[in-house]
Amino acid sequence: MSNMMAALEKSRPEPGLWRVEAPVPEIGPDDVLIRINKTGICGTDIHIWNWDDWAAHTVPVPMITGHEFAGEIVELGRHVTGLTIGQRCSGEGHLIGHESRQSRAGKFHLDPGTRGIGVNEQGAFAEYLRLPAFNVVPLPDAIDDEIGAILDPLGNAVHTALSFDLIGEDVLITGAGPIGIMAAAVARHVGARHVVITDINPDRLALATRVANCVPVNVAEEQLEDVIARLGMKQGFDVGLEMSGNQAALDQMVEALVMGGRIALLGIPPGKSPVDWLRIVFKAITIKGVYGREIFETWYKMIAMLENGLDVRPVITHRFPVSDFREGFEAMLSGRSGKVVLDWTGSSD
Ligand SMILES: NC(=O)c1ccc[n+]([C@@H]2O[C@H](COP(=O)([O-])OP(=O)(O)OC[C@H]3O[C@@H](n4cnc5c(N)ncnc54)[C@H](O)[C@@H]3O)[C@@H](O)[C@H]2O)c1
């Protein structure tokens, strides 16, 4: 094996990513080395590509980006047990410490010192990735590398959707991005009654109906109160999953919820935004912020649901060899795509 590898790097503090030759990472005693087969492009990668304020303040340069991946273990650190060379895997991209109260309580996803691969540590847009063995999630045969590469965002959808009991409930999802769409599929899979998804982008709403049995609503054209009446709901939605980061969407959600409704917030607003707390208090609404995936309960549940018939593959709308990564980012930047997957298997050709 050569000690150099191809990688997509933020090499300079300006828009874009560059294909570079970088050293294959050296692993420590508790790490594994993973040969990357497929990667997904995330909205975070788009922030880094665009080099917006968040990226400029967060990401040190140079940085190999990317955190959605599937591959195969090619090297084991000397302390690693329970994993084998050749094992197919994905993995949790949040690197956590083990000293905090939360970690010691087993609530790893709440560790305040979390660092992200592809953001704070060298990432997965590369032929090889170093990852702590703790973070590795082995893939069963039923989950191929393409689905393995989108388990991270599917995990966001699963974590958010499973925040509240959805069985028999009417669920409103605001934001038909890839994560909102996958959350619709999850809500349906676990037994919600009505699943309504909103957006202002017709392409995204059309994609939502190809992935999940859900009711698309373009809020630029239709009022949610009309949809509530049309579907025969008595008061409104029982549970809201906010997946747009848009203030207007959250306001509409609060209005469209029943008294005592529950909201899980995944969408990241661009900054501080005014919230109608009075309305939230008098409607006795419960709000939960959601960050990442529960480590590793979300991974367990999502893999089990995929093995049990959950199908999110149609959310992948574009596939490119990594040599065409610019086309992949253009598809994402168009705002019309679902998930975009890059194939690294021929990357050294
Ligand atoms: N909390 C976390 O750990 C975490 C992790 C990953 C992503 N996120 C956030 O989750 C959200 C969803 O991720 P994604 O990759 O699917 O994002 P995305 O940007 O692809 O999708 C967001 C969608 O919201 C739509 N939207 C905009 N205004 C709207 C409105 N008024 N009503 C309804 N929809 C509206 C957009 O058209 C877009 O289709 C994003 O805000 C992302 O930043 C959070």
Side-chain angles (χ1 to χ4, degrees):
M1 186 172 100
S2 154
N3 60 357
M4 297 299 281
M5 64 176 187
L8 299 184
E9 185 186 76
K10 174 59 80 176
S11 308
R12 302 190 289 275
E14 58 187 73
L17 284 183
W18 293 269
R19 191 177 157 129
V20 297
E21 287 288 305
V24 173
E26 284 183 20
I27 63 169
D30 298 311
D31 300 330
V32 301
L33 189 67
I34 297 168
R35 192 179 67 223
I36 298 296
N37 289 335
K38 305 257 169 147
T39 55
I41 302 179
C42 172
T44 302
D45 303 318
I46 297 301
H47 289 289
I48 296 173
W49 174 284
N50 289 336
W51 205 240
D52 62 13
D53 281 352
W54 171 83
H57 284 101
T58 312
V59 181
V61 172
M63 174 64 69
I64 296 171
T65 53
H67 56 273
E68 301 179 358
F69 69 91
E72 185 181 322
I73 297 174
V74 292
E75 194 182 337
L76 300 170
R78 67 179 191 280
H79 293 166
V80 176
T81 56
L83 297 171
T84 53
I85 304 273
Q87 196 163 14
R88 294 177 54 251
C89 67
S90 180
E92 173 56 57
H94 285 178
L95 310 182
I96 53 130
H98 293 269
E99 308 299 325
S100 68
R101 173 183 176 180
Q102 293 91 331
S103 283
R104 286 171 63 82
K107 299 172 186 168
F108 300 119
H109 66 294
L110 298 179
D111 181 62
T114 298
R115 296 170 63 73
I117 65 166
V119 176
N120 316 106
E121 304 274 346
Q122 300 299 332
F125 286 169
E127 286 178 282
Y128 295 95
L129 170 71
R130 172 185 55 214
L131 196 71
F134 177 81
N135 287 56
V136 170
V137 177
L139 292 178
D141 291 345
I143 298 181
D144 60 25
D145 287 341
E146 179 169 275
I147 295 297
I150 64 164
L151 291 182
D152 172 300
L154 175 59
N156 293 132
V158 168
H159 185 183
T160 314
L162 299 189
S163 290
F164 300 110
D165 178 8
L166 298 187
I167 301 170
E169 304 287 13
D170 295 332
V171 177
L172 173 64
I173 299 170
T174 46
I179 299 181
I181 292 174
M182 289 192 282
V186 173
R188 177 60 68 205
H189 187 78
V190 302
R193 182 173 62 165
H194 297 301
V195 178
V196 172
I197 189 162
T198 68
D199 208 294
I200 46 172
N201 176 335
D203 294 315
R204 287 278 172 89
L205 289 167
L207 178 61
T209 59
R210 292 201 292 278
V211 179
N213 177 8
C214 59
V215 178
V217 175
N218 187 335
V219 282
E221 294 169 357
E222 202 176 358
Q223 301 282 327
L224 277 173
E225 59 184 282
D226 297 335
V227 177
I228 291 168
R230 174 155 59 85
L231 295 177
M233 292 191 267
K234 288 213 163 51
Q235 291 178 39
F237 296 91
D238 306 293
V239 177
L241 310 177
E242 205 308 291
M243 301 198 151
S244 73
N246 185 279
Q247 173 65 41
L250 178 60
D251 288 344
Q252 285 163 355
M253 179 173 278
V254 170
E255 284 312 309
L257 245 57
V258 297
M259 282 284 295
R262 291 148 291 163
I263 295 178
L265 286 178
L266 183 88
I268 300 175
K272 279 192 181 181
S273 44
V275 174
D276 190 351
W277 291 110
L278 186 87
R279 204 76 185 110
I280 290 167
V281 171
F282 284 126
K283 285 190 96 167
I285 285 172
T286 301
I287 299 185
K288 177 189 172 192
V290 179
Y291 177 53
R293 296 143 297 281
E294 277 191 27
I295 305 171
F296 286 90
E297 187 63 5
T298 300
W299 290 88
Y300 181 92
K301 294 261 194 191
M302 109 177 117
I303 288 173
M305 284 190 285
L306 287 166
E307 291 178 313
N308 185 28
L310 174 67
D311 180 13
V312 293
R313 196 181 304 278
V315 83
I316 302 172
T317 54
H318 295 75
R319 298 162 173 89
F320 295 98
V322 71
S323 51
D324 295 342
F325 72 95
R326 286 200 171 75
E327 280 91 327
F329 277 83
E330 273 161 26
M332 286 286 288
L333 287 160
S334 75
R336 304 176 64 178
S337 73
K339 287 304 296 180
V340 177
V341 171
L342 300 178
D343 184 349
W344 289 78
T345 50
S347 61
S348 49
D349 296 350

